[in-house]
Structures are given as structure tokens and as C-alpha cells.
Amino acid sequence: MKKFKFLLSACMAALLATSFTACSDDPAEGNGGNNNPEETTKDYHFDLFLSVGKHGGMSQGDGTIVRSVSDLSADADKITIEGIGSEFESNGNTYTMEAIVKGKYYYEVPYQPADRFVKLEVNYDPTTGKNALNVVGQRPFADGYTFKARSYTHAWLDDNTLLIMAANGDADKIIWTKLNADDMSIIDSGTLSEITAPEGYPVLTTSGILTYRQSDKKLYYFYFAKTSKRNGKATPYFYTAIIDPATMKVESNEPNNIAQQTAGSAYGELMQNSVMYDEDDNLYLATFTPDENEKEIGHLLRIKKGETQFDTTYDGYPNADGKLLTIQYLGNGKALAYARNDDGDPQDGTLNIDSYCHYYTILNLADGTRERLKYNGEEIAYNAGRFSQRTAVVDGKAYVGVNTREESCIYVYDIATGKVEKGAEVDASFYFDILRVMSNQ
């Protein structure tokens, strides 16, 4: 069995090699892009996030180090963070791996200082391969509209307008703030007064899932409520609120009758993708419902273009063996999914963050059929890391990071042909949790 160990010398080398630039409130250039994190550009690199001590996400692990690379092919050197990666900290401030990504920037509410929105850049020198974390903009919260690290959701209304939304401190109201992503100025803030906790379920979910659909220019907000903040019972079904982004007026707010919760609702797609769109602008959402044995059965729901309610005849992930964790559209009616087998680790039966019971599969959205990702005719082994997004889609390829008992590496899936090649190896002394495509411009 592969054993992960925290290499103190490696971490110290990474810290010593990392340089930071001073914080600035100067406006940054516009960053372009679209609603999806897997942007296609000819000038990009990859950011890999590796956690220390244990798998990261949801405040797990003992630290996060990011490493930028331009090549994930088999010809690339083994990807290590020794003396070259950057601790996700700067001048005593601590940032989260759960973040909003667009172009070459990260946007987030940090752990410290915890009273503001921050715009970050992980500077990358392709000549030396070294990273340096730079804060390029920040803005204190508007009075009365306070957000918490990792506990919010977001949508891009255009290339430069970022909407952030979450439950308030008492979790009985939904608050929002619109930001100008260029200079991080606050455009407006408010409360969705039409959304209140349902009777018997006084606690609204921390974040929910928010998305903006281009074809009807509406916001779709998926959320649920609970009987209490800790281990409370959830509403039988989650709700869909449709919002006018210009006025932030809630136009409708109804429960579905298919699934109980959305995937990633506690942290609002800051780490894992649970919403996707196809070429026709049909909206897909990863969800789940516990069965009689409390096994979390995944579903992939769809709202067709021109409609506002889920298609009750459609499930793009039928007969699930557990929770559907992430989805990413590949084109031509196919999607890449990361899922969990709720029977647990085949070797020891465990079902936790570090259990080897997570796998990659290719979905045919037309009929719900799917096939485990394979290499040389063999299924790629189960992965550890529940709160992981080790996949990135760009330029006709899906880069799939694995963290199995036997290996930590990248596989490259050619979308047009379905061919899978083995790519770069990743240092297995740390826990590989996130892979992101970042613009160089």
C-alpha cells in the first residue's frame, strides 16, 4: 500500500523558496473568460494544489501548496513541490484552496483576514517553474453583509461582474454582494427577502449552488434547509429559486420532487463542479438522495433550455452505486464524472475522505449509460479524496489526476477519440486534490 508522509524538509524548502509581493488595492486588468472553469485558451498553464498531512478541502489537512506547470504529458518531469511550490499564504494571511477561478485570477473570502473579498494571482515563471502568491486586490465587506471562508456560492453575470451569495450568520436569510472583478469595488449588496426557511426547517443551507444561464439571462439558485445547523435533518427536496440578476428579485421559488440535496451545497462549487451546460444551454445539476440504508444515491438532473423546471423524465446518472461528486461537460453529449461507491473501500469497507472508493466515469447524457475510465483496457483504480477536483478540460482533452493506492499521476483523455494516455507523475509524498487550468494573460 502506498503510504503518504509529510516531508518536513520538502515543506521547509517550499517555504524558503517562495517569495511574496506586497498587497495592493490598485485595479487589475480585466480577465475575460466565461461561466465555466475549464476555459479554452492557447496560452495557459495548470495549477496543482497539494495538501499536507491528509487530503484537503472542508478544512482538512495541515496546509496547502500550489505548483504551476505548463506540461502534464508523459514527457514532463515528475511534478514535485520541493523548493518550487508556493504555500497558499502571504504575509501572515491565509487563503483557502476553495476559490472562484477566472482567467488567471483567484477570488475568495480568506481565512485571515476574514473581513474581506480578495483577488489573488499565483505568479508563474515558466523558465524556472517557481511560483509566488500575489494579492492584487481586496475589498472589505459591505456593512451588514458578512461572508465566511469556504461558505458561499457564486456566479459570473458577465466577464467582470461577480455575484457572491450565502446564508447569513443566523442561517435564516440569503445575502448577496455584487463585485466589480476589475478593481474589487462593491457594486451592490442585499438580501433575498423572498427566500425564507420552510416551516419546521429553520436553518438554510450554508451556500447552495448558484449559476447564471446565458440563454434566458436568469440566475438559478439551488438550496435546501435543515432542522438544525449540526447534523440536522434536511428538507425532503431541495428548492430552485429563479432570480432576475439585474434587480435580484426572486421570480419563483419551488421545491423539486426528485432529489433531496445538490452536490457541494455546503461550499458552493468553490472546489468541485456540480453544474454544467451542453451546447444547447441545457442545464445539468449533480444531486443525491439517501436511500433507506442512508446510502447517498447520485442523480444527474436537467433543466432544458427554455424551461425553468427539472425534466422529471430524465436522470443522466441512473442506478448509481453512491454519490455523484463532480461533473464536467466534454462535448458531443458526453460528460466526465467523479463518483463515490457507497459500499466503501473494497479492501477495508471504509467510507471517508481518505477511503479508496472514488472513481472516474464517462457519461453518455442521452441515455445515462456510463463506463469507468480505462487505461490499456483496465479500469483505473479507486481514488482517495472525496473533496477533490483533479480534472481539467481544455483544448479537446480532459486531464484526469488520480490518487490511488498505487500511483499519483495524470491521465490524458482525448475527447474526440476516447483514447487515454498516461501523463505526468505527481509527487506522492503529498495529497493531490485540485487541478485547475489558468490563463497566462
Side-chain angles (χ1 to χ4, degrees):
M1 179 188 297
K2 182 178 65 176
K3 296 182 179 179
F4 294 93
K5 297 180 179 178
F6 171 40
L7 301 182
L8 180 60
S9 60
C11 188
M12 290 302 294
L15 289 169
L16 291 172
T18 302
S19 62
F20 300 108
T21 55
C23 298
S24 171
D25 288 323
D26 292 339
E29 294 182 358
N31 57 315
N34 54 40
N35 282 333
N36 296 319
E38 53 268 20
E39 298 178 28
T40 300
T41 171
K42 294 181 179 179
D43 190 9
Y44 59 86
H45 65 269
F46 300 93
D47 279 356
L48 289 81
F49 285 74
L50 292 94
S51 301
V52 176
K54 62 174 70 173
H55 279 288
M58 302 296 281
S59 291
Q60 306 290 318
D62 300 318
T64 300
I65 298 175
V66 60
R67 166 78 196 280
S68 301
V69 297
S70 57
D71 185 12
L72 292 177
S73 71
D75 295 331
D77 293 335
K78 180 178 180 179
I79 299 170
T80 181
I81 58 177
E82 286 192 65
I84 202 167
S86 176
E87 190 78 24
F88 221 49
E89 296 181 355
S90 177
N91 297 326
N93 298 332
T94 307
Y95 305 99
T96 75
M97 65 196 305
E98 296 92 343
I100 300 163
V101 178
K102 194 170 185 63
K104 65 176 183 178
Y105 297 111
Y106 293 89
Y107 304 82
E108 66 170 62
V109 176
Y111 288 123
Q112 182 64 36
D115 62 347
R116 66 194 61 194
F117 304 108
V118 174
K119 179 178 181 179
L120 302 165
E121 181 180 6
V122 179
N123 290 327
Y124 170 53
D125 184 341
T127 304
T128 64
K130 291 188 176 182
N131 291 123
L133 188 65
N134 183 28
V135 177
V136 297
Q138 52 189 318
R139 188 69 54 178
F141 300 143
D143 290 343
Y145 299 97
T146 298
F147 295 82
K148 184 180 178 182
R150 303 187 302 104
S151 301
Y152 50 94
T153 188
H154 74 283
W156 289 94
L157 304 183
D158 55 45
D159 283 349
N160 205 46
T161 306
L162 173 60
L163 173 64
I164 293 178
M165 225 158 70
N168 65 352
D170 293 331
D172 61 351
K173 293 182 177 65
I174 302 299
I175 59 173
W176 57 267
T177 292
K178 288 181 184 177
L179 292 165
N180 180 325
D182 184 26
D183 61 8
M184 295 301 286
S185 60
I186 293 177
I187 300 169
D188 199 4
S189 293
T191 300
L192 299 181
S193 57
E194 300 92 341
I195 295 181
T196 57
E199 185 176 354
Y201 298 88
V203 178
L204 293 170
T205 185
T206 303
S207 305
I209 298 294
L210 182 67
T211 184
Y212 176 68
R213 185 154 70 168
Q214 294 283 352
S215 57
D216 55 14
K217 301 189 183 311
K218 300 293 183 185
L219 287 161
Y220 289 77
Y221 179 53
F222 307 108
Y223 71 97
F224 65 97
K226 301 186 296 181
T227 54
S228 62
K229 283 191 176 182
R230 273 199 172 275
N231 302 317
K233 181 181 178 182
T235 48
Y237 301 106
F238 68 85
Y239 286 68
T240 301
I242 300 176
I243 305 166
D244 177 357
T247 64
M248 294 303 291
K249 178 178 176 56
V250 177
E251 298 180 341
S252 66
N253 182 30
E254 301 291 338
N256 76 94
N257 60 356
I258 308 171
Q260 184 182 85
Q261 297 183 36
T262 59
S265 57
Y267 48 91
E269 281 201 302
L270 298 176
M271 188 173 188
Q272 295 177 295
N273 299 124
S274 58
V275 176
M276 68 181 187
Y277 293 87
D278 62 19
E279 298 92 343
D280 296 325
D281 213 30
N282 296 313
L283 187 164
Y284 297 84
L285 177 69
T287 68
F288 67 93
T289 297
D291 65 11
E292 62 275 8
N293 298 315
E294 294 302 312
K295 181 188 246 186
E296 295 180 337
I297 301 301
H299 302 281
L300 181 60
L301 307 188
R302 179 181 66 187
I303 300 177
K304 291 182 179 179
K305 179 183 177 181
E307 300 181 5
T308 58
Q309 301 298 318
F310 287 105
D311 180 355
T312 58
T313 66
Y314 180 84
D315 185 353
Y317 198 74
N319 306 311
D321 56 7
K323 189 175 182 180
L324 181 58
L325 300 172
T326 75
I327 52 171
Q328 288 170 288
Y329 190 60
L330 298 175
N332 299 320
K334 292 185 178 181
L336 173 65
Y338 185 55
R340 183 180 74 198
N341 185 333
D342 274 27
D343 288 336
D345 187 327
Q347 287 195 15
D348 57 24
T350 58
L351 187 65
N352 54 49
I353 293 171
D354 295 323
S355 297
Y356 293 91
C357 57
H358 310 88
Y359 62 93
Y360 296 101
T361 188
I362 304 296
L363 309 180
N364 184 326
L365 297 174
D367 58 14
T369 55
R370 57 186 180 270
E371 183 178 23
R372 285 270 298 272
L373 192 67
K374 296 180 179 179
Y375 175 64
N376 286 342
E378 298 290 330
E379 291 182 349
I380 293 173
Y382 282 107
N383 291 259
R386 180 186 307 168
F387 301 110
S388 299
Q389 179 81 53
R390 292 180 294 259
T391 56
V393 182
V394 64
D395 281 352
K397 298 183 185 299
Y399 295 86
V400 182
V402 305
N403 210 149
T404 73
R405 278 189 167 91
E406 289 74 31
E407 60 183 355
S408 182
C409 68
I410 306 291
Y411 285 94
V412 184
Y413 174 84
D414 184 85
I415 295 171
T417 65
K419 183 179 179 181
V420 177
E421 297 181 349
K422 196 167 185 178
E425 185 181 355
V426 180
D427 185 353
S429 301
F430 292 80
Y431 292 76
F432 178 22
D433 281 315
I434 297 181
L435 174 65
R436 286 167 167 146
V437 181
M438 306 300 296
S439 173
N440 290 335
Q441 300 179 347

